[in-house]
Amino acid sequence: MNPELIAPAGNWPMLRAAIKAKADAVFFGVKQMNMRMTANNFELSELKKVVLECHKNKVKSYLTLNTIIYDNEIEKLKKILTEAKKAKIDAVIAWDFSVLKEANKLKIPIHLSTQASVSNYESAEYYHKKFNVESITLARELSLEQIKNIIKKIK
């Protein structure tokens, strides 16, 4: 996989700026269930329009659903992921098993969030095999040398 320049897009001006700056992809949330709660975020009803704007400009769109999901949020989660599937989102950024499970059921590609704290090859292999995760943002605590060793084992 080639490196990607990925920019946050918490609102329409940020999305347009990322596109204008030639980002390869943008990540954004809807008003619920993402770690960027202080950002403006998009309404769920805007999801399709956001993805269309990205794809029209050859930019990938990644929906962040990277918070802890509680039992009382499962139905809301399913609704968001169903809308994301309809909108043709390129991937979901997540780590909670309920999101991974539902995204797999809907065949939405998964990029594992740094919140999963993957810090070794065995964990990376597990997420890939169990949940078909195609991209992992490794734990922030890793040194460059540790990251290189994990990449070497993956290859």
Side-chain angles (χ1 to χ4, degrees):
M1 178 180 231
N2 293 326
E4 286 183 313
L5 176 61
I6 305 172
N11 56 39
W12 285 103
M14 289 175 71
L15 177 66
R16 290 184 183 107
I19 290 170
K20 186 176 181 182
K22 304 289 186 210
D24 298 310
V26 295
F27 65 93
F28 57 90
V30 292
K31 296 235 183 236
Q32 308 107 353
M33 299 184 184
N34 74 83
M35 295 298 286
R36 299 178 52 80
M37 297 306 282
T38 56
N40 291 340
N41 294 308
F42 295 97
E43 297 290 339
L44 183 58
S45 61
E46 295 178 284
L47 189 56
K48 187 172 186 170
K49 187 176 175 186
V50 170
V51 175
L52 282 172
E53 185 70 17
C54 289
H55 291 174
K56 179 176 80 175
N57 289 285
K58 296 180 176 43
V59 173
K60 293 179 185 171
S61 55
Y62 302 146
L63 176 64
T64 57
L65 289 171
N66 56 349
T67 59
I68 296 170
I69 307 298
Y70 296 99
D71 281 334
N72 65 333
E73 297 174 316
I74 297 294
E75 290 309 311
K76 186 188 306 180
L77 167 67
K78 289 180 179 182
K79 180 180 179 183
I80 291 170
L81 284 171
T82 298
E83 291 302 313
K85 176 73 174 180
K86 287 180 192 172
K88 297 186 169 106
I89 199 86
D90 291 292
V92 62
I93 299 172
W95 68 276
D96 187 284
F97 286 170
S98 63
V99 182
L100 303 180
K101 180 182 170 190
E102 192 64 26
N104 268 313
K105 189 189 300 182
L106 295 170
K107 295 183 175 28
I108 299 172
I110 299 166
H111 292 190
L112 197 65
S113 173
T114 191
Q115 268 70 30
S117 294
V118 172
S119 57
N120 58 68
Y121 171 76
E122 285 76 15
S123 295
E125 181 182 45
Y126 175 82
Y127 278 107
H128 176 68
K129 286 183 176 179
K130 177 71 175 170
F131 293 106
N132 200 31
V133 168
E134 62 180 43
S135 177
I136 298 173
T137 302
L138 294 170
R140 296 176 180 121
E141 298 80 6
L142 291 173
S143 69
L144 186 54
E145 193 62 35
Q146 290 169 315
I147 292 169
K148 287 178 185 177
N149 285 333
I150 293 169
I151 291 170
K152 188 189 301 182
K153 287 180 180 179
I154 289 171
K155 290 182 178 179

